[in-house]
Amino acid sequence: MRGVAQRYVSLVQRGRFDLVAALLAPDMARVAPIETGGEPVEVRGVPAIMANSRRLTADLDIHGVEIDGPFLAGDRFAVRFSFDETHRPTGVRTTSRKMSLYTVTDGLISREEVHYFDQPKPAA
């Protein structure tokens, strides 16, 4: 589990999202209630998770990301993210922060639970 967590953080820090998918279980679940109006709706499967990510970042220029972690515990690890971003429609530059808790099953990330410190910007 430690290796998966460290590889995940390393790839994200380097912006290698193209390689992150190899660490994800095909039927991975992602739960982020703030993205779904407070409902604990699961987005399931790597294609659906990637489509949701594109939707959430469509109006953002991400200038950088700071990462704390991974923080390891059993079959789980947590990572704290701080994104330096500009919301293109308004030109407002902000930092958004979130903590994600990941579960690893059979050597792949099988679940992500996202807890935002800051409300994500609405897509236009």
Side-chain angles (χ1 to χ4, degrees), residues 1-6 29 31 70-79 100-105 108-115:
M1 197 280 298
R2 176 183 301 274
V4 171
Q6 291 172 334
V31 181
F71 303 101
L72 309 171
D75 66 346
R76 296 175 144 196
F77 68 96
V79 179
S100 287
L101 176 63
Y102 300 92
T103 302
V104 177
T105 306
L108 295 173
I109 297 170
S110 59
R111 184 174 182 84
E112 177 186 15
E113 298 170 52
V114 182
H115 305 276

Side-chain angles (χ1 to χ4, degrees), residues 1-95:
M1 197 280 298
R2 176 183 301 274
V4 171
Q6 291 172 334
R7 282 193 306 276
Y8 179 82
V9 167
S10 175
L11 290 170
V12 172
Q13 285 175 323
R14 295 180 307 172
R16 294 305 310 264
F17 300 103
D18 56 324
L19 300 177
V20 167
L23 300 175
L24 308 178
D27 62 343
M28 177 184 168
R30 183 173 191 273
V31 181
I34 203 167
E35 296 172 6
T36 58
E39 298 298 319
V41 177
E42 285 187 1
V43 177
R44 187 167 288 280
V46 174
I49 290 168
M50 295 304 191
N52 185 56
S53 178
R54 286 188 298 275
R55 178 185 65 83
L56 291 171
T57 59
D59 291 336
L60 297 176
D61 287 324
I62 299 175
H63 309 290
V65 60
E66 289 184 21
I67 298 175
D68 295 319
F71 303 101
L72 309 171
D75 66 346
R76 296 175 144 196
F77 68 96
V79 179
R80 183 177 182 269
F81 299 93
S82 295
F83 296 94
D84 175 13
E85 59 195 25
T86 298
H87 185 239
R88 279 194 299 275
T90 63
V92 174
R93 188 167 180 167
T94 59
T95 299

